Amino acid sequence: FLDATGWTPKFDQNWLNDWDEGRLVPSGWEDKPVTWVSRDDAAAYCQAVGARLPTSYEWQYAAQGPEILRFPWGEHPNT
Protein backbone atom coordinates (compact mmCIF):
# COMPACT_ATOMS: atom_id res chain seq x y z
CA PHE A 1 0.00 0.00 0.00
CA LEU A 2 2.67 2.52 0.98
CA ASP A 3 4.87 1.79 -2.01
CA ALA A 4 1.96 1.50 -4.45
CA THR A 5 0.24 4.74 -3.45
CA GLY A 6 2.99 6.86 -1.92
CA TRP A 7 0.64 7.54 1.01
CA THR A 8 2.04 9.70 3.77
CA PRO A 9 0.02 10.68 6.82
CA LYS A 10 -1.01 14.23 7.61
CA PHE A 11 0.34 13.82 11.15
CA ASP A 12 3.37 11.56 11.10
CA GLN A 13 4.82 11.98 14.61
CA ASN A 14 4.06 8.36 15.55
CA TRP A 15 3.39 7.00 12.07
CA LEU A 16 4.18 3.27 12.17
CA ASN A 17 6.23 3.96 15.28
CA ASP A 18 6.50 0.26 16.09
CA TRP A 19 7.87 -0.73 12.68
CA ASP A 20 11.57 -0.94 11.82
CA GLU A 21 12.53 2.31 10.12
CA GLY A 22 8.81 3.08 9.80
CA ARG A 23 8.53 0.86 6.70
CA LEU A 24 9.39 -2.73 7.59
CA VAL A 25 7.18 -5.05 9.60
CA PRO A 26 9.28 -6.33 12.53
CA SER A 27 10.01 -10.05 12.41
CA GLY A 28 7.24 -11.99 14.12
CA TRP A 29 4.73 -9.12 13.75
CA GLU A 30 3.26 -10.18 10.41
CA ASP A 31 -0.08 -11.17 11.96
CA LYS A 32 -0.34 -8.36 14.51
CA PRO A 33 -2.52 -5.31 13.90
CA VAL A 34 -0.85 -2.13 12.72
CA THR A 35 -0.72 0.59 15.38
CA TRP A 36 -0.46 4.38 15.23
CA VAL A 37 -2.80 4.57 12.25
CA SER A 38 -5.35 7.37 12.02
CA ARG A 39 -8.83 7.15 10.57
CA ASP A 40 -7.57 9.00 7.48
CA ASP A 41 -4.77 6.44 7.09
CA ALA A 42 -7.25 3.58 7.35
CA ALA A 43 -9.67 5.22 4.91
CA ALA A 44 -6.87 5.76 2.37
CA TYR A 45 -5.91 2.09 2.65
CA CYS A 46 -9.51 1.01 2.20
CA GLN A 47 -9.88 3.17 -0.89
CA ALA A 48 -6.67 1.75 -2.36
CA VAL A 49 -7.87 -1.84 -1.96
CA GLY A 50 -11.50 -1.21 -2.93
CA ALA A 51 -12.90 -1.59 0.58
CA ARG A 52 -14.44 0.69 3.20
CA LEU A 53 -14.34 1.29 6.92
CA PRO A 54 -17.21 -0.12 8.96
CA THR A 55 -20.08 2.17 9.90
CA SER A 56 -20.66 3.02 13.54
CA TYR A 57 -23.55 0.51 13.54
CA GLU A 58 -21.27 -2.21 12.20
CA TRP A 59 -18.67 -1.43 14.89
CA GLN A 60 -21.38 -1.59 17.53
CA TYR A 61 -22.61 -4.96 16.27
CA ALA A 62 -19.06 -6.31 16.13
CA ALA A 63 -18.50 -5.25 19.74
CA GLN A 64 -21.81 -6.49 21.12
CA GLY A 65 -22.53 -9.42 18.84
CA PRO A 66 -25.97 -10.82 18.11
CA GLU A 67 -26.62 -11.27 21.84
CA ILE A 68 -26.30 -7.49 22.39
CA LEU A 69 -23.89 -7.98 25.28
CA ARG A 70 -22.96 -5.08 27.52
CA PHE A 71 -19.25 -5.74 26.85
CA PRO A 72 -17.68 -7.67 23.96
CA TRP A 73 -16.64 -10.42 26.42
CA GLY A 74 -19.94 -10.66 28.36
CA GLU A 75 -22.24 -8.82 30.74
CA HIS A 76 -19.76 -8.09 33.53
CA PRO A 77 -16.83 -5.66 33.21
CA ASN A 78 -14.34 -7.84 35.13
CA THR A 79 -15.09 -11.21 33.59
Coordinates of all heavy atoms in Angstrom, one line a residue:
F1 N 0.8 -1.2 0.0 CA 0.0 0.0 0.0 C 0.9 1.3 0.0 O 0.7 2.2 -0.8 CB -0.9 0.0 1.2 CG -1.5 1.3 1.5 CD1 -2.5 1.9 0.7 CD2 -1.2 2.0 2.7 CE1 -3.0 3.1 1.0 CE2 -1.7 3.2 3.0 CZ -2.6 3.8 2.1
L2 N 1.8 1.3 0.9 CA 2.7 2.5 1.0 C 3.5 2.7 -0.3 O 3.5 3.8 -0.8 CB 3.6 2.4 2.2 CG 3.0 2.3 3.5 CD1 4.0 2.2 4.6 CD2 2.1 3.5 3.8
D3 N 4.1 1.7 -0.8 CA 4.9 1.8 -2.0 C 4.0 2.0 -3.2 O 4.3 2.8 -4.1 CB 5.7 0.5 -2.2 CG 6.8 0.4 -1.2 OD1 7.2 1.4 -0.6 OD2 7.3 -0.7 -0.9
A4 N 2.8 1.4 -3.3 CA 2.0 1.5 -4.4 C 1.3 2.9 -4.6 O 1.1 3.4 -5.7 CB 0.9 0.4 -4.4
T5 N 1.0 3.5 -3.4 CA 0.2 4.7 -3.4 C 1.1 6.0 -3.1 O 0.7 7.1 -3.4 CB -1.0 4.7 -2.5 OG1 -0.4 4.6 -1.1 CG2 -1.9 3.5 -2.8
G6 N 2.2 5.7 -2.4 CA 3.0 6.9 -1.9 C 2.3 7.6 -0.8 O 2.7 8.7 -0.4
W7 N 1.4 6.9 -0.1 CA 0.6 7.5 1.0 C 1.6 8.0 2.1 O 2.5 7.3 2.5 CB -0.4 6.6 1.6 CG -1.1 7.1 2.8 CD1 -0.8 6.7 4.1 CD2 -2.1 8.0 2.9 NE1 -1.6 7.4 5.0 CE2 -2.4 8.2 4.3 CE3 -2.8 8.8 2.0 CZ2 -3.4 9.1 4.7 CZ3 -3.8 9.7 2.4 CH2 -4.1 9.8 3.7
T8 N 1.4 9.2 2.6 CA 2.0 9.7 3.8 C 1.0 10.3 4.6 O 0.1 11.0 4.1 CB 3.1 10.7 3.5 OG1 2.6 11.8 2.7 CG2 4.3 10.1 2.7
P9 N 1.0 10.2 5.9 CA 0.0 10.7 6.8 C 0.1 12.2 7.0 O 1.2 12.8 6.9 CB 0.3 10.0 8.1 CG 1.7 9.7 8.1 CD 2.1 9.4 6.7
K10 N -1.0 12.8 7.3 CA -1.0 14.2 7.6 C -0.2 14.5 8.9 O 0.5 15.5 8.9 CB -2.5 14.7 7.8 CG -2.6 16.2 7.9 CD -4.1 16.5 7.9 CE -4.3 18.0 8.0 NZ -5.8 18.4 8.0
F11 N -0.4 13.7 9.9 CA 0.3 13.8 11.2 C 1.2 12.6 11.3 O 0.7 11.5 11.6 CB -0.6 14.0 12.3 CG -1.6 15.1 12.2 CD1 -2.9 14.9 11.8 CD2 -1.2 16.4 12.4 CE1 -3.8 15.9 11.6 CE2 -2.0 17.5 12.3 CZ -3.3 17.2 11.9
D12 N 2.5 12.7 11.1 CA 3.4 11.6 11.1 C 4.3 11.4 12.3 O 5.2 10.6 12.3 CB 4.2 11.6 9.8 CG 5.2 12.7 9.8 OD1 5.2 13.6 10.7 OD2 6.0 12.8 8.9
Q13 N 4.0 12.1 13.4 CA 4.8 12.0 14.6 C 5.0 10.5 15.1 O 6.1 10.1 15.4 CB 4.2 12.8 15.7 CG 5.1 12.7 17.0 CD 4.5 13.6 18.1 OE1 3.4 14.1 18.0 NE2 5.2 13.7 19.2
N14 N 4.0 9.8 15.1 CA 4.1 8.4 15.5 C 3.8 7.4 14.4 O 3.6 6.2 14.7 CB 3.1 8.1 16.7 CG 3.5 8.8 18.0 OD1 4.7 8.8 18.3 ND2 2.6 9.4 18.6
W15 N 3.7 7.8 13.2 CA 3.4 7.0 12.1 C 4.2 5.7 12.1 O 5.4 5.8 12.0 CB 3.6 7.8 10.8 CG 3.5 7.0 9.5 CD1 4.5 6.8 8.6 CD2 2.3 6.4 8.9 NE1 4.0 6.1 7.6 CE2 2.7 5.8 7.7 CE3 1.0 6.4 9.4 CZ2 1.8 5.2 6.9 CZ3 0.1 5.7 8.5 CH2 0.5 5.1 7.3
L16 N 3.5 4.6 12.2 CA 4.2 3.3 12.2 C 5.4 3.2 13.1 O 6.4 2.6 12.8 CB 4.6 2.9 10.7 CG 3.4 2.8 9.7 CD1 4.0 2.4 8.4 CD2 2.4 1.8 10.2
N17 N 5.2 3.8 14.3 CA 6.2 4.0 15.3 C 6.8 2.6 15.7 O 8.0 2.5 16.0 CB 5.7 4.7 16.5 CG 6.7 5.2 17.4 OD1 7.7 5.7 17.0 ND2 6.5 5.1 18.7
D18 N 6.0 1.6 15.7 CA 6.5 0.3 16.1 C 7.2 -0.5 15.0 O 7.7 -1.6 15.2 CB 5.3 -0.6 16.6 CG 4.7 0.1 17.8 OD1 5.4 0.7 18.6 OD2 3.5 0.0 18.0
W19 N 7.2 0.0 13.8 CA 7.9 -0.7 12.7 C 9.3 -0.3 12.6 O 9.7 0.8 12.9 CB 7.2 -0.4 11.4 CG 5.8 -1.0 11.2 CD1 5.0 -1.4 12.2 CD2 5.2 -1.4 10.0 NE1 3.8 -1.9 11.7 CE2 3.9 -1.9 10.3 CE3 5.5 -1.2 8.7 CZ2 3.1 -2.4 9.4 CZ3 4.7 -1.7 7.7 CH2 3.4 -2.2 8.1
D20 N 10.2 -1.2 12.1 CA 11.6 -0.9 11.8 C 11.7 0.1 10.7 O 11.2 -0.1 9.6 CB 12.3 -2.2 11.4 CG 12.4 -3.2 12.5 OD1 12.3 -2.9 13.7 OD2 12.5 -4.4 12.2
E21 N 12.3 1.2 11.1 CA 12.5 2.3 10.1 C 11.2 2.8 9.6 O 11.2 3.5 8.5 CB 13.5 1.9 9.0 CG 14.8 1.4 9.4 CD 15.7 0.9 8.3 OE1 15.4 1.1 7.1 OE2 16.7 0.2 8.6
G22 N 10.1 2.6 10.2 CA 8.8 3.1 9.8 C 8.3 2.5 8.5 O 7.3 2.9 8.0
R23 N 9.0 1.5 8.0 CA 8.5 0.9 6.7 C 8.5 -0.7 6.7 O 7.8 -1.3 5.9 CB 9.5 1.3 5.5 CG 9.5 2.8 5.3 CD 8.4 3.3 4.7 NE 8.2 3.0 3.3 CZ 7.3 3.5 2.5 NH1 6.3 4.2 3.0 NH2 7.2 3.2 1.3
L24 N 9.3 -1.3 7.6 CA 9.4 -2.7 7.6 C 8.7 -3.3 8.8 O 8.9 -2.9 9.9 CB 10.9 -3.1 7.6 CG 11.7 -2.5 6.5 CD1 13.2 -2.8 6.8 CD2 11.3 -3.0 5.2
V25 N 7.9 -4.4 8.5 CA 7.2 -5.1 9.6 C 8.2 -5.8 10.4 O 9.0 -6.6 9.8 CB 6.1 -6.0 9.0 CG1 5.4 -6.8 10.2 CG2 5.1 -5.3 8.2
P26 N 8.3 -5.6 11.7 CA 9.3 -6.3 12.5 C 9.1 -7.8 12.4 O 7.9 -8.3 12.3 CB 9.0 -5.8 14.0 CG 8.3 -4.5 13.8 CD 7.5 -4.6 12.5
S27 N 10.1 -8.6 12.5 CA 10.0 -10.1 12.4 C 9.1 -10.6 13.5 O 9.2 -10.2 14.7 CB 11.4 -10.7 12.5 OG 11.3 -12.1 12.5
G28 N 8.2 -11.4 13.2 CA 7.2 -12.0 14.1 C 6.0 -11.2 14.3 O 5.1 -11.6 15.0
W29 N 5.9 -10.0 13.6 CA 4.7 -9.1 13.7 C 3.8 -9.2 12.5 O 2.9 -8.4 12.4 CB 5.2 -7.7 13.9 CG 5.7 -7.3 15.3 CD1 6.5 -8.1 16.0 CD2 5.5 -6.2 16.0 NE1 6.8 -7.5 17.2 CE2 6.2 -6.3 17.2 CE3 4.7 -5.0 15.7 CZ2 6.1 -5.3 18.2 CZ3 4.6 -4.0 16.7 CH2 5.3 -4.2 17.9
E30 N 4.0 -10.1 11.6 CA 3.3 -10.2 10.4 C 1.8 -10.3 10.6 O 1.0 -9.8 9.8 CB 3.7 -11.3 9.5 CG 5.2 -11.2 9.0 CD 6.2 -11.6 10.1 OE1 5.9 -12.1 11.2 OE2 7.4 -11.5 9.7
D31 N 1.3 -11.0 11.7 CA -0.1 -11.2 12.0 C -0.6 -10.3 13.0 O -1.8 -10.4 13.4 CB -0.3 -12.6 12.3 CG -0.1 -13.6 11.2 OD1 -0.3 -13.2 10.0 OD2 0.4 -14.7 11.4
K32 N 0.1 -9.3 13.5 CA -0.3 -8.4 14.5 C -1.0 -7.2 13.8 O -0.6 -6.8 12.7 CB 0.8 -7.9 15.4 CG 1.4 -9.0 16.3 CD 2.4 -8.4 17.3 CE 2.8 -9.4 18.2 NZ 3.7 -8.9 19.2
P33 N -1.9 -6.5 14.5 CA -2.5 -5.3 13.9 C -1.5 -4.2 13.8 O -0.6 -4.1 14.7 CB -3.7 -5.0 14.8 CG -3.4 -5.7 16.1 CD -2.5 -6.8 15.8
V34 N -1.7 -3.3 12.9 CA -0.9 -2.1 12.7 C -1.3 -1.1 13.8 O -2.5 -1.0 14.0 CB -1.0 -1.5 11.3 CG1 -0.2 -0.3 11.2 CG2 -0.5 -2.6 10.3
T35 N -0.4 -0.4 14.4 CA -0.7 0.6 15.4 C -0.3 2.0 14.9 O 0.4 2.1 13.9 CB 0.0 0.3 16.7 OG1 1.4 0.2 16.5 CG2 -0.5 -1.0 17.3
W36 N -0.8 3.0 15.6 CA -0.5 4.4 15.2 C -1.0 4.7 13.8 O -0.3 5.4 13.1 CB 1.0 4.7 15.3 CG 1.6 4.5 16.7 CD1 2.4 3.4 17.1 CD2 1.4 5.3 17.8 NE1 2.7 3.6 18.4 CE2 2.1 4.7 18.9 CE3 0.7 6.5 18.1 CZ2 2.1 5.3 20.2 CZ3 0.7 7.0 19.3 CH2 1.5 6.4 20.4
V37 N -2.2 4.3 13.5 CA -2.8 4.6 12.2 C -4.1 5.4 12.5 O -4.9 5.0 13.3 CB -3.2 3.3 11.5 CG1 -4.0 3.5 10.3 CG2 -1.9 2.5 11.2
S38 N -4.2 6.5 11.8 CA -5.4 7.4 12.0 C -6.5 6.9 11.2 O -6.4 6.0 10.3 CB -5.0 8.8 11.6 OG -4.9 8.9 10.2
R39 N -7.7 7.5 11.4 CA -8.8 7.1 10.6 C -8.6 7.5 9.1 O -8.9 6.7 8.2 CB -10.1 7.9 11.1 CG -11.3 7.5 10.3 CD -12.5 8.4 10.6 NE -13.7 7.9 10.0 CZ -14.0 7.9 8.7 NH1 -13.1 8.4 7.9 NH2 -15.1 7.5 8.2
D40 N -7.9 8.6 8.9 CA -7.6 9.0 7.5 C -6.6 8.0 6.8 O -6.8 7.7 5.7 CB -6.9 10.4 7.4 CG -7.9 11.5 7.7 OD1 -9.1 11.3 7.7 OD2 -7.4 12.6 8.0
D41 N -5.7 7.5 7.6 CA -4.8 6.4 7.1 C -5.6 5.2 6.7 O -5.4 4.6 5.6 CB -3.7 6.1 8.1 CG -2.9 7.2 8.6 OD1 -2.7 8.2 7.8 OD2 -2.4 7.2 9.7
A42 N -6.4 4.8 7.6 CA -7.2 3.6 7.3 C -8.2 3.8 6.2 O -8.3 2.9 5.3 CB -8.1 3.2 8.6
A43 N -8.8 4.9 6.0 CA -9.7 5.2 4.9 C -8.9 5.2 3.6 O -9.4 4.7 2.6 CB -10.4 6.6 5.1
A44 N -7.7 5.8 3.6 CA -6.9 5.8 2.4 C -6.5 4.3 2.0 O -6.6 4.0 0.8 CB -5.6 6.6 2.6
Y45 N -6.2 3.5 2.9 CA -5.9 2.1 2.6 C -7.1 1.4 2.1 O -7.0 0.7 1.1 CB -5.4 1.4 3.9 CG -5.2 -0.1 3.7 CD1 -4.1 -0.6 3.0 CD2 -6.2 -1.0 4.0 CE1 -3.9 -1.9 2.7 CE2 -6.1 -2.4 3.8 CZ -4.9 -2.8 3.1 OH -4.7 -4.1 2.9
C46 N -8.3 1.6 2.7 CA -9.5 1.0 2.2 C -9.8 1.4 0.8 O -10.2 0.6 -0.1 CB -10.7 1.4 3.1 SG -10.7 0.5 4.7
Q47 N -9.6 2.7 0.5 CA -9.9 3.2 -0.9 C -8.9 2.5 -1.9 O -9.3 2.1 -3.0 CB -9.7 4.7 -1.0 CG -10.0 5.3 -2.3 CD -10.0 6.8 -2.4 OE1 -9.5 7.4 -1.4 NE2 -10.4 7.3 -3.4
A48 N -7.7 2.3 -1.5 CA -6.7 1.7 -2.4 C -7.0 0.3 -2.7 O -6.6 -0.2 -3.8 CB -5.3 1.9 -1.7
V49 N -7.6 -0.4 -1.7 CA -7.9 -1.8 -2.0 C -9.3 -2.1 -2.3 O -9.8 -3.3 -2.4 CB -7.4 -2.7 -0.8 CG1 -5.9 -2.6 -0.5 CG2 -8.2 -2.4 0.5
G50 N -10.1 -1.0 -2.5 CA -11.5 -1.2 -2.9 C -12.4 -1.7 -1.8 O -13.4 -2.4 -2.0
A51 N -12.1 -1.2 -0.6 CA -12.9 -1.6 0.6 C -13.4 -0.3 1.3 O -13.3 0.8 0.7 CB -12.1 -2.4 1.5
R52 N -14.0 -0.5 2.4 CA -14.4 0.7 3.2 C -14.3 0.4 4.7 O -14.2 -0.8 5.1 CB -15.9 1.0 2.9 CG -16.9 -0.1 3.3 CD -18.3 0.3 3.1 NE -19.2 -0.8 3.4 CZ -19.6 -1.1 4.7 NH1 -19.2 -0.4 5.7 NH2 -20.4 -2.1 4.9
L53 N -14.3 1.4 5.5 CA -14.3 1.3 6.9 C -15.8 0.9 7.4 O -16.7 1.3 6.7 CB -13.9 2.6 7.6 CG -12.5 3.0 7.4 CD1 -12.2 4.4 8.0 CD2 -11.5 2.0 8.1
P54 N -15.9 0.2 8.5 CA -17.2 -0.1 9.0 C -17.9 1.1 9.4 O -17.3 2.1 9.9 CB -17.0 -1.1 10.1 CG -15.5 -1.3 10.2 CD -14.8 -0.4 9.3
T55 N -19.3 1.1 9.4 CA -20.1 2.2 9.9 C -20.1 2.1 11.4 O -19.7 1.0 12.0 CB -21.5 2.1 9.4 OG1 -22.1 0.9 9.9 CG2 -21.6 2.1 7.9
S56 N -20.6 3.1 12.1 CA -20.7 3.0 13.5 C -21.6 1.9 14.0 O -21.4 1.2 15.0 CB -21.1 4.4 14.1 OG -22.4 4.7 13.6
Y57 N -22.6 1.6 13.2 CA -23.5 0.5 13.5 C -22.8 -0.8 13.4 O -23.0 -1.7 14.2 CB -24.8 0.5 12.7 CG -25.7 1.8 12.9 CD1 -25.7 2.8 12.0 CD2 -26.4 1.9 14.1 CE1 -26.5 3.9 12.2 CE2 -27.2 3.0 14.4 CZ -27.2 4.0 13.4 OH -28.0 5.1 13.7
E58 N -22.0 -1.0 12.4 CA -21.3 -2.2 12.2 C -20.2 -2.4 13.3 O -20.1 -3.5 13.8 CB -20.6 -2.2 10.8 CG -21.6 -2.4 9.7 CD -21.0 -2.1 8.3 OE1 -20.0 -1.2 8.2 OE2 -21.5 -2.6 7.4
W59 N -19.6 -1.3 13.8 CA -18.7 -1.4 14.9 C -19.4 -1.9 16.1 O -19.0 -2.7 16.9 CB -18.0 -0.1 15.2 CG -16.8 0.2 14.3 CD1 -16.7 1.2 13.4 CD2 -15.5 -0.5 14.4 NE1 -15.4 1.1 12.8 CE2 -14.7 0.1 13.4 CE3 -15.0 -1.5 15.1 CZ2 -13.4 -0.3 13.2 CZ3 -13.7 -2.0 14.9 CH2 -12.9 -1.3 13.9
Q60 N -20.6 -1.3 16.4 CA -21.4 -1.6 17.5 C -21.8 -3.1 17.5 O -21.7 -3.8 18.5 CB -22.6 -0.7 17.6 CG -23.4 -0.8 18.8 CD -22.8 -0.2 20.0 OE1 -22.0 0.8 19.9 NE2 -23.1 -0.6 21.2
Y61 N -22.2 -3.6 16.4 CA -22.6 -5.0 16.3 C -21.4 -5.9 16.5 O -21.5 -6.9 17.2 CB -23.2 -5.2 14.9 CG -23.7 -6.7 14.8 CD1 -24.9 -7.1 15.3 CD2 -22.9 -7.6 14.1 CE1 -25.3 -8.4 15.2 CE2 -23.3 -8.9 14.0 CZ -24.5 -9.3 14.5 OH -25.0 -10.6 14.4
A62 N -20.3 -5.5 15.9 CA -19.1 -6.3 16.1 C -18.7 -6.4 17.6 O -18.2 -7.4 18.1 CB -17.9 -5.7 15.3
A63 N -18.9 -5.3 18.3 CA -18.5 -5.2 19.7 C -19.5 -6.0 20.6 O -19.1 -6.7 21.5 CB -18.4 -3.8 20.2
Q64 N -20.8 -5.9 20.3 CA -21.8 -6.5 21.1 C -22.2 -7.9 20.7 O -22.7 -8.7 21.5 CB -23.1 -5.6 21.2 CG -22.8 -4.3 21.9 CD -24.1 -3.5 22.0 OE1 -24.8 -3.3 21.0 NE2 -24.4 -3.0 23.2
G65 N -22.1 -8.1 19.4 CA -22.5 -9.4 18.8 C -24.0 -9.5 18.8 O -24.8 -8.6 19.2
P66 N -24.5 -10.7 18.3 CA -26.0 -10.8 18.1 C -26.7 -10.9 19.4 O -27.9 -10.7 19.5 CB -26.1 -12.1 17.3 CG -24.8 -12.8 17.5 CD -23.8 -11.8 17.8
E67 N -26.0 -11.2 20.5 CA -26.6 -11.3 21.8 C -26.8 -9.9 22.5 O -27.4 -9.8 23.6 CB -25.8 -12.1 22.8 CG -25.7 -13.6 22.3 CD -24.5 -13.8 21.4 OE1 -23.6 -12.9 21.3 OE2 -24.4 -14.8 20.7
I68 N -26.3 -8.9 21.9 CA -26.3 -7.5 22.4 C -25.8 -7.5 23.8 O -26.4 -7.0 24.8 CB -27.7 -6.9 22.3 CG1 -28.3 -7.0 20.9 CG2 -27.7 -5.4 22.7 CD1 -29.7 -6.6 20.7
L69 N -24.6 -8.0 24.0 CA -23.9 -8.0 25.3 C -23.5 -6.6 25.7 O -23.2 -5.7 24.9 CB -22.7 -8.9 25.2 CG -22.9 -10.3 24.8 CD1 -21.6 -11.1 24.6 CD2 -23.7 -11.0 25.9
R70 N -23.4 -6.4 27.0 CA -23.0 -5.1 27.5 C -21.5 -4.8 27.2 O -21.1 -3.7 26.9 CB -23.2 -5.1 29.0 CG -23.0 -3.7 29.6 CD -23.4 -3.7 31.1 NE -23.1 -2.5 31.7 CZ -23.0 -2.2 33.0 NH1 -23.3 -3.2 33.8 NH2 -22.7 -1.1 33.4
F71 N -20.7 -5.8 27.2 CA -19.3 -5.7 26.9 C -19.0 -6.8 25.8 O -19.7 -7.8 25.8 CB -18.4 -6.0 28.1 CG -18.6 -5.0 29.2 CD1 -19.5 -5.3 30.2 CD2 -18.0 -3.7 29.2 CE1 -19.7 -4.4 31.3 CE2 -18.2 -2.8 30.2 CZ -19.1 -3.1 31.2
P72 N -18.0 -6.7 25.0 CA -17.7 -7.7 24.0 C -17.4 -9.1 24.6 O -17.7 -10.1 23.9 CB -16.4 -7.2 23.3 CG -16.4 -5.7 23.5 CD -17.1 -5.5 24.8
W73 N -17.0 -9.1 25.8 CA -16.6 -10.4 26.4 C -17.8 -10.9 27.3 O -17.6 -12.0 27.9 CB -15.4 -10.3 27.2 CG -15.4 -9.2 28.2 CD1 -15.9 -9.3 29.5 CD2 -15.0 -7.9 28.0 NE1 -15.8 -8.0 30.1 CE2 -15.3 -7.1 29.2 CE3 -14.4 -7.2 27.0 CZ2 -15.0 -5.8 29.4 CZ3 -14.1 -5.8 27.2 CH2 -14.4 -5.2 28.3
G74 N -18.9 -10.2 27.5 CA -19.9 -10.7 28.4 C -20.7 -9.5 29.0 O -20.5 -8.4 28.6
E75 N -21.4 -9.8 30.1 CA -22.2 -8.8 30.7 C -21.5 -8.1 31.9 O -22.0 -7.1 32.3 CB -23.5 -9.5 31.3 CG -24.5 -9.8 30.2 CD -25.0 -8.5 29.4 OE1 -25.3 -7.5 30.0 OE2 -25.0 -8.6 28.2
H76 N -20.4 -8.7 32.4 CA -19.8 -8.1 33.5 C -18.4 -7.5 33.1 O -17.6 -8.1 32.4 CB -19.6 -9.2 34.6 CG -20.9 -9.8 35.0 ND1 -21.8 -9.1 35.8 CD2 -21.5 -11.0 34.7 CE1 -22.9 -9.9 35.9 NE2 -22.7 -11.0 35.3
P77 N -18.1 -6.3 33.6 CA -16.8 -5.7 33.2 C -15.5 -6.4 33.6 O -14.5 -6.2 32.9 CB -16.9 -4.3 33.9 CG -17.8 -4.5 35.0 CD -18.8 -5.5 34.6
N78 N -15.6 -7.2 34.7 CA -14.3 -7.8 35.1 C -14.3 -9.3 34.9 O -13.7 -10.1 35.6 CB -14.1 -7.5 36.6 CG -13.9 -6.1 36.9 OD1 -13.3 -5.4 36.1 ND2 -14.5 -5.5 37.9
T79 N -15.0 -9.8 33.9 CA -15.1 -11.2 33.6 C -13.8 -11.7 33.0 O -13.2 -11.1 32.1 CB -16.3 -11.5 32.6 OG1 -17.5 -11.1 33.2 CG2 -16.4 -13.0 32.4

